[in-house]
Amino acid sequence: MARPKQFNRDEALGKAVEVFWAKGFEATTMTDLGKALGIGRQSLYDTFADKHALFAEALQRYAEMNRGVLERTMAGRGLDG
């Protein structure tokens, strides 16, 4: 039987955004991500599958976190639709 996750997925994604932002996709290793997220290697793979999948989720998280800023910027420039 699998053990329950010992970390908050949303917090982990927020940390992954920071790592990818600082190092870029190519330079970021799974070891970097595991250390920054405080997650063991196996849990990292079990939860996110691979670096590309984690990057895709982190990118989506980044977009969600910054959506309001983008919408306000576009509205201020008359680009809101």
Side-chain angles (χ1 to χ4, degrees), residues 12-60:
L13 283 172
K15 291 176 185 176
V17 167
E18 294 172 9
V19 175
F20 284 122
W21 184 269
K23 298 187 84 168
F25 178 80
E26 288 294 325
T28 300
T29 66
M30 289 299 275
T31 300
D32 296 332
L33 291 163
K35 286 180 184 176
L37 279 59
I39 301 172
R41 189 173 190 84
Q42 191 59 50
S43 289
L44 194 58
Y45 280 105
D46 288 346
T47 303
F48 298 107
D50 58 26
K51 184 170 83 166
H52 185 268
L54 177 52
F55 179 75
E57 282 195 54
L59 185 60
Q60 182 176 5

